[in-house]
Amino acid sequence: MKAVMIMIRKGSVNWSKLVFLSLLLGTFFAANSAYADQQHLIKVHKQSYRLELFEDGMAQPLKVYSIAVAKNPGDKQMTGDNRTPTSWGSAAAIPSKYTGAATGVPSAQVPFVVEEICDSSFWTHDFGDGNGQIEGAYGPWFISLDTGWIGIGIHGTHDPASIGTMASEGCIRMHNQDVAELKAIIYGPAKGVGTRVMITED
């Protein structure tokens, strides 16, 4: 803002550059705030294998998707326990910008947050089942979440038959076309960063 004011005082206003600078600053600040995208809220229901996408102020979900969750029931307790977290994990892994987030605080109270959205179309994963590295294991997109746990996200799958079951190592799986649609909806100026995510046991 200071740089813009200096340009105006000197009379050297280049309006096209000014507009570009304004958009650039807006995108930067949006992407770097704790909850950049207040327009959307994702609710994951573990037992009913359902992901709901809400727009701000809407009582009914904009979209409802079928999902898969972790192999083991209950809230995540430790890395590698094959559980999908419903509450915040290690305090050391929780960014201080998330007011109220602390170990054991339910995401229904203080939502998890989309950290970034990654192109995962070329990622592979070894599920330890003797089949080695599986191509397309994460589908086209990995929506990475800040949860206080490492590696938790919402993503596609190479195994569409697993949707509607307890199958993952902790993440939320979706059909590839569904995660692509979800990504497209939440991917705005902030690139989805800051979208709130609640995960509950219902």
Side-chain angles (χ1 to χ4, degrees), residues 41-83:
L41 170 66
I42 293 170
K43 291 185 178 181
V44 173
H45 304 273
K46 289 170 63 175
Q47 289 186 19
S48 54
Y49 307 110
R50 192 170 83 255
L51 183 152
E52 298 174 327
L53 175 65
F54 291 83
E55 283 189 341
D56 188 45
M58 289 182 64
Q60 297 299 318
L62 176 67
K63 294 284 183 177
V64 179
Y65 302 102
S66 296
I67 59 169
V69 295
K71 299 172 186 176
N72 294 325
D75 192 12
K76 194 167 188 63
Q77 301 297 314
M78 64 177 64
T79 300
D81 65 4
N82 292 332
R83 290 185 172 95

Side-chain angles (χ1 to χ4, degrees), residues 10 15 29-30 53-54 65 79 84 95 98 109 118 124 126-127 131 161 175 179 188 192 200:
K10 290 183 176 178
W15 291 108
F29 288 121
L53 175 65
F54 291 83
Y65 302 102
T79 300
T84 299
Y98 301 136
Q109 180 180 324
C118 306
T124 64
D126 188 338
F127 290 94
N131 292 320
H175 287 292
V179 77
T200 56

